[in-house]
Amino acid sequence: MAPLRQRLSSTRVALLGALGVATLAAALSILVAGSEDRQAERDQRRAAASSGVAFDSALAELDRTVEAGPRLADVPEPELVSSGIVAVGRVPLDGSDPDPQSASLARGQLPAGLSLATLVERSRSALELARDTGQPLSGAPVSGHVLVATPDYGNGQAPRTTLGRRAGLQSWVVYVIATPRLLTKIGETDFAQVSLVIGGREVTGSPVNEPAVEHAETFLGQTWVLRLPVHGEPGPGAAAWAVALMGAIGAAATVAIGIRDGRMLAETVAATSALERETRAVAELGPLLQQKLDLGEVLPAVAVRLSDEFDLEHFGVELVGEDGGFVDAFAMGRRSPEGSVDVGQAGSRETVRAGVEFAVPLLRAGRIIGRLRMTSRQPLSATQLDTLRAAADLIAVATYNVELYEREQANVQRLTELDRLKDGFLGTISHELRTPITAIGGFVQLLRRQWVRLSDSERLEFLERVQRNTTSLGFLVDDLLDFARLDRHALGITPTSLDISDAVSAIVEQLTPLLGDHRVTLDVKRGVHGLADNRALERVVANLLTNAAKFSPVQSEICVSLEGDAQWVTMAVSDEGPGISPAERGRVFQRFYRGDGDAARSTRGAGIGLSVVHELVTQMGGSIDVEGREPHGTRMVVRLQAQPRTGVRLPEQGPSRVETRST
Amino acid sequence: MPRALIVDDEEDIRMLIRLTIEIANEGLAVAGEAANGEEAIDRWREEQPEVVVLDYRMPGMTGLEVAERILAEDPEQPIILFSAYVDAETSAAARRLGIRECMPKADYDQLPDALWRHSASA
């Protein structure tokens, strides 16, 4: 504003002052002479008000016509024309030219030099936003014509999400509103000038000065403002004319001086209103970003908004990935092959030239969580860059919130799944416990009631059944207890150096009767020593064997092998059952996991055995793996340490049923 | 002479039920045994027992699925669902299918009475 202040030197002030007084005198006399003109003015104001009403109803009629949406092409032509619509077309997805739906409408109705295709091109962002939101939207006015885009999803119902709408869009139905026609509809006007401003842009007429009556409506996503000037006509009267002439000359001089200043003022005003628009656009981002927690919906809407305001030909959002590198979360337009220029901190006076790709960091609590990449078709001032940094801050907060929300959702899902598994677990456990108890109780009762009537062999058989069920029950109870202790890491294991060959052979022998109709093969190298806890080893082998028996058909073979070298002792339990798919192999050691598919669904077993086995083996310093067999079957491989890692040999302690050997 | 078909995947339980029925000596007999759903349906068609005693938890088809298949062919067939663990949801589902009674396995020695009750209404 400095140049303006220079011009306001004292002589100019005096000159302007003198001219001002003259003008004031002229004005006063005009006022005196024109009291009846005030009446005329009041009439005009009333007329302006009724024009406002006509404006409202014209827009309302347009609104109703527009509600036909994609079926607009079916609306009869006279109705369209009376609403102010001069062209209707269908825009295909592939970017080819729009196809006029109403030949007679399209023909000769648009001004020379303006075609439906041009209008569509200039309103691209309105088309995209209409597609994403499912609402008809208008583009910026071109030569007094406004293109409105209506998305057509095919079966009439817009999909519920932005991504769904993008995928479901078949074409757009577009139509063109000719604003001159609209103005004519408002009625015969006595007014020399009428101004229509759509979305802040002057559409018809010339800018109208005060005094004026304004009517504003929000229509198709933009604000339409009709300005009707109200000025009194100078009344006749020679004296008044003379004074007015003097004032007019003075005024003309003022105007001449003022025009130069005015132009500068206009430029500043234009810049201010552009800044206002841009700031408003960023302010609108706030609620937009808060509305949804789905980045897939939010980022595109943000991109369109910012691209519109800052005339961006490229907009991208990068987020920091798990490895610390930047990953594209969203991108629109072409990236520059030379990469982006970082535009530094807020408050720096850097500017950016048109067509140069630049990046603004996304910061959250002082950490960089991503970047916004942009290329504008216009040069951007330092103030505009500050505005974009403000937008970046909002986007950073939104992204952070989304991440928190997603993490929370993942947690909730995990807990729900765990709950579900536990419920199944309780049912199964009850069944698993009650079955052997019923059998034990039943056979004992039979023995008591029918003792004398039973033969010796029958009595023995019943007692064997009782014993078998007691052993099974014992294992299950041990499993349960160990499982309960898993969380507290209280399994009480003390690994010592054992003769593993003997321990394993003994366990297998003891368990074979429990394994039903299976052939059990032992392939155990003698004298293999390793680090293990006797009880834990017994539990591990028992579990693996009973699993093998449960999941393989009767008469099939179960093989137990054992061998060792200087480093490791390797024990394997194999069956000929259906096997475990590679996808499931990672999950079998999870608690409560009983497998997917029919085979596992009704098979007994509570899903705790393998998780206990895994923990026991780990605590003995070993590892366990699952392998598949050809043509089908499972092989569980347990590795234990051959000797303690510290290098100190622990005193040997064999299992109680075998005599102690010396080192 | 009412005959029962015993369906349970556990051999010990099948033996227990069979002995209970035979030793009760009330004129009841065992028509046959089955260890899973498929066998159960085959045996049912062959033997035409008066009552089916059906375990709920079995590998492959569950007891409810077996009952559904049998009742589809003969809606009047009396079936007793016999299970170590029967909750409200399962008994409601069983009743809806047309199963006559749900008994916990622990009450196996009341089976002869139940068999008489349900064979009379066959």
Side-chain angles (χ1 to χ4, degrees):
Chain A
M1 297 298 277
L4 195 58
R5 212 176 295 132
Q6 270 174 8
R7 292 168 196 267
L8 285 177
S9 65
S10 44
T11 25
R12 283 180 180 268
V13 169
L15 184 60
L16 283 171
L19 292 170
V21 167
T23 318
L24 188 60
L28 277 171
S29 58
I30 290 168
L31 271 174
V32 161
S35 57
E36 64 265 350
D37 298 329
R38 250 173 288 150
Q39 179 61 39
E41 193 183 304
R42 272 200 291 275
D43 290 338
Q44 282 184 343
R45 281 195 185 271
R46 228 174 287 131
S50 74
S51 293
V53 170
F55 181 56
D56 287 354
S57 72
L59 285 186
E61 184 185 339
L62 202 48
D63 209 2
R64 278 194 299 278
T65 313
V66 161
E67 264 176 19
R71 297 185 310 286
L72 195 66
D74 301 333
V75 175
E77 202 180 295
E79 231 178 273
L80 290 176
V81 169
S82 98
S83 299
I85 295 177
V86 294
V88 179
R90 188 173 285 277
V91 176
L93 284 178
D94 56 13
S96 54
D97 275 350
D99 165 36
Q101 297 287 285
S102 175
S104 63
L105 265 194
R107 201 175 42 222
Q109 298 290 342
L110 293 172
L114 188 64
S115 70
L116 193 56
T118 317
L119 276 168
V120 166
E121 228 15 74
R122 298 280 288 271
S123 311
R124 265 294 153 193
S125 52
L127 263 76
E128 283 174 9
L129 199 52
R131 170 201 63 199
D132 288 350
T133 56
Q135 302 294 326
L137 282 177
S138 58
V142 177
S143 304
H145 287 70
V146 176
L147 181 108
V148 182
T150 316
D152 184 0
Y153 302 99
N155 55 9
Q157 269 290 85
R160 283 182 314 118
T161 64
T162 303
L163 293 174
R165 291 193 268 264
R166 283 218 196 120
L169 184 78
Q170 305 216 339
S171 62
W172 290 271
V173 172
V174 300
Y175 52 93
V176 181
I177 302 172
T179 52
R181 233 173 251 204
L182 208 60
L183 290 176
T184 315
K185 270 187 67 160
I186 291 171
E188 262 76 42
T189 96
D190 301 336
F191 309 108
Q193 298 160 347
V194 163
S195 155
L196 182 60
V197 175
I198 299 179
R201 294 186 182 87
E202 190 65 46
V203 175
T204 55
S206 4
V208 163
N209 301 314
E210 296 296 308
V213 175
E214 229 178 63
H215 302 278
E217 284 293 320
T218 304
F219 182 59
L220 295 174
Q222 305 207 67
T223 308
W224 294 44
V225 180
L226 182 70
R227 303 190 84 210
L228 306 162
V230 179
H231 46 260
E233 286 179 10
W241 268 112
V243 177
L245 190 61
M246 250 176 37
I249 294 168
T254 319
V255 163
I257 297 167
I259 273 185
R260 249 179 312 176
D261 303 337
R263 211 183 308 137
M264 219 173 321
L265 194 58
E267 277 171 19
T268 315
V269 166
T272 313
S273 71
L275 185 63
E276 261 180 40
R277 268 207 326 273
E278 288 161 5
T279 317
R280 204 179 328 127
V282 170
E284 281 169 17
L285 280 187
L288 178 63
L289 288 167
Q290 281 179 35
Q291 255 172 38
K292 300 187 191 263
L293 282 166
D294 175 2
L295 278 186
E297 294 198 30
V298 162
L299 289 183
V302 166
V304 168
R305 205 76 194 77
L306 290 179
S307 302
D308 256 351
E309 279 310 326
F310 293 93
D311 204 3
L312 301 178
E313 65 183 19
H314 166 65
F315 178 85
V317 179
E318 290 171 4
L319 297 175
V320 173
E322 284 174 7
D323 57 355
F326 287 114
V327 171
D328 262 7
F330 174 82
M332 197 179 84
R334 258 176 320 115
R335 287 194 73 160
S336 155
E338 287 115 30
S340 330
V341 174
D342 270 320
V343 287
Q345 298 307 324
S348 88
R349 300 325 289 166
E350 271 180 78
T351 62
V352 166
R353 290 200 312 277
V356 169
E357 185 181 299
F358 63 98
V360 174
L362 294 175
L363 296 167
R364 178 76 195 150
R367 274 177 35 244
I368 293 187
I369 65 169
R371 302 197 305 176
L372 292 190
R373 285 190 325 260
M374 290 165 278
T375 312
S376 172
R377 293 189 190 94
Q378 312 290 332
L380 295 176
S381 69
T383 317
Q384 286 172 310
L385 286 180
D386 275 342
T387 312
L388 285 172
R389 286 192 194 93
D393 282 342
L394 287 173
I395 294 172
V397 172
T399 325
Y400 187 67
N401 285 347
V402 166
E403 272 172 39
L404 283 181
Y405 178 69
E406 279 174 3
R407 234 180 292 157
E408 196 186 292
Q409 289 297 93
N411 271 344
V412 167
Q413 228 180 357
R414 237 180 5 100
L415 290 173
T416 312
E417 175 71 11
L418 204 58
D419 253 353
R420 201 181 56 77
L421 288 174
K422 272 197 217 165
D423 282 341
F425 173 70
L426 280 176
T428 318
I429 277 292
S430 301
H431 182 272
E432 294 295 290
L433 287 174
R434 291 213 190 118
T435 301
I437 290 176
T438 307
I440 291 167
F443 283 105
V444 165
Q445 192 169 55
L446 275 174
L447 281 168
R448 292 185 62 211
R449 288 187 186 158
Q450 312 288 333
W451 184 266
V452 291
R453 266 170 278 170
L454 293 171
S455 70
D456 274 350
S457 62
E458 278 173 330
R459 290 188 209 125
L460 267 173
E461 191 202 323
F462 288 8
L463 285 172
E464 270 166 24
R465 287 177 188 259
V466 169
Q467 176 148 44
R468 235 188 7 242
N469 276 283
T470 310
T471 313
S472 287
L473 193 53
F475 279 128
L476 182 59
V477 169
D478 279 342
D479 268 352
L480 273 175
L481 288 175
D482 275 348
F483 185 73
R485 290 193 203 113
L486 273 185
D487 269 341
R488 298 155 191 266
H489 301 288
L491 287 172
I493 294 182
T494 9
T496 58
S497 190
L498 289 186
D499 184 332
I500 306 222
S501 310
D502 279 350
V504 169
S505 306
I507 298 167
V508 173
E509 213 180 283
Q510 186 196 18
L511 285 175
T512 303
L514 287 179
L515 295 177
D517 242 324
H518 285 88
R519 293 174 294 131
V520 179
T521 325
L522 264 184
D523 179 14
V524 170
K525 244 177 72 176
R526 296 213 50 84
V528 176
H529 283 65
L531 200 61
D533 174 285
N534 209 357
R535 199 189 132 268
L537 189 60
E538 192 182 288
R539 303 296 315 293
V540 166
V541 176
N543 255 295
L544 293 180
L545 279 179
T546 44
N547 269 1
K550 216 184 292 178
F551 288 99
S552 60
V554 287
Q555 307 285 337
S556 65
E557 185 188 20
I558 298 176
C559 181
V560 181
S561 69
L562 179 73
E563 58 179 15
D565 59 33
Q567 294 268 51
W568 295 106
V569 172
T570 308
M571 178 181 71
V573 175
S574 320
D575 65 59
E576 291 174 342
I580 300 174
S581 71
E584 285 192 82
R585 281 180 208 160
R587 298 190 61 186
V588 291
F589 298 110
Q590 283 174 13
R591 297 181 202 186
F592 308 118
Y593 187 75
R594 294 172 57 234
D596 302 323
D598 297 325
R601 189 166 45 96
S602 321
T603 311
R604 298 216 309 279
I608 60 176
L610 282 181
S611 62
V612 171
V613 163
H614 186 268
E615 185 66 18
L616 291 171
V617 166
T618 309
Q619 288 210 12
M620 289 193 281
S623 69
I624 179 166
D625 288 293
V626 184
E627 292 169 11
R629 293 181 80 200
E630 294 304 317
H632 52 82
T634 305
R635 185 164 181 263
M636 304 289 264
V637 181
V638 175
R639 282 186 191 87
L640 298 170
Q641 292 179 28
Q643 44 196 353
R645 285 282 178 262
T646 56
V648 173
R649 289 193 59 100
L650 299 174
E652 246 200 49
Q653 246 179 27
S656 48
R657 56 189 85 79
V658 173
E659 26 179 310
T660 320
R661 289 170 218 260
S662 49
T663 317
Chain B
M1 180 138 159
R3 294 141 54 248
L5 173 64
I6 304 172
V7 183
D8 194 306
D9 60 325
E10 260 295 302
E11 207 255 312
D12 286 335
I13 302 291
R14 285 199 307 271
M15 162 123 291
L16 189 61
I17 297 177
R18 168 188 281 277
L19 288 172
T20 306
I21 292 175
E22 289 171 353
I23 286 177
N25 204 14
E26 295 173 11
L28 298 164
V30 174
E33 295 178 19
N36 61 54
E38 270 76 22
E39 269 183 50
I41 295 178
D42 287 341
R43 202 87 345 116
W44 172 71
R45 288 197 190 117
E46 284 165 21
E47 304 288 342
Q48 314 250 340
E50 274 67 43
V51 187
V52 178
V53 178
L54 191 47
D55 181 23
Y56 174 50
R57 271 188 126 92
M58 291 188 293
M61 295 170 68
T62 66
L64 284 182
E65 285 165 359
V66 175
E68 208 175 336
R69 297 261 287 265
I70 291 180
L71 288 168
E73 286 185 31
D74 178 7
E76 296 300 313
Q77 173 67 51
I79 300 180
I80 299 175
L81 192 68
F82 197 54
S83 184
Y85 179 73
V86 178
D87 58 14
E89 212 177 288
T90 320
S91 22
R95 228 179 310 278
R96 272 197 302 273
L97 276 180
I99 290 173
R100 301 292 173 92
E101 187 167 347
C102 290
M103 275 181 72
K105 269 193 189 150
D107 294 346
Y108 69 94
D109 58 353
Q110 294 167 27
L111 210 40
D113 284 341
L115 288 175
W116 271 114
R117 266 204 310 279
H118 292 291
S119 62
S121 60

